Amino acid sequence: FAQPLVVDSDRVIIVGHTDEAEAAELGTLGAQRLSERRAAAVKEKLIAAGVPIDRIETSGRAAIDPAVPTARG
């Protein structure tokens, strides 16, 4: 899951996420890398659509800040 956030008209910040299940499967470092790859994939799509690269910022939040809570059983 990658969440694009428009901060202002000059910049776009894209935050990649994973969930707790992915973090458990991949480990902390693997989940972080996955969240970064998700954000980078969105960045590439925006560049292909004509958004200037210098206006795009990405980060990965892994499961530290999940966009969707994981149900616990």
Side-chain angles (χ1 to χ4, degrees):
F1 181 88
Q3 179 180 21
L5 301 173
V6 177
V7 173
D8 59 40
S9 61
D10 294 326
R11 309 263 322 142
V12 176
I13 298 176
I14 303 160
V15 181
H17 295 272
T18 59
D19 63 23
E20 292 170 348
E22 290 168 321
E25 180 181 334
L26 300 172
T28 303
L29 184 57
Q32 179 62 32
R33 288 180 178 153
L34 176 58
S35 66
E36 291 169 359
R37 285 195 310 270
R38 287 175 171 168
V42 173
K43 179 181 180 176
E44 292 303 316
K45 294 287 186 179
L46 291 175
I47 292 168
V51 177
I53 192 170
D54 61 336
R55 293 183 56 204
I56 305 170
E57 186 176 320
T58 61
S59 68
R61 296 289 296 161
I64 297 166
D65 184 19
V68 178
T70 302
R72 295 177 188 247

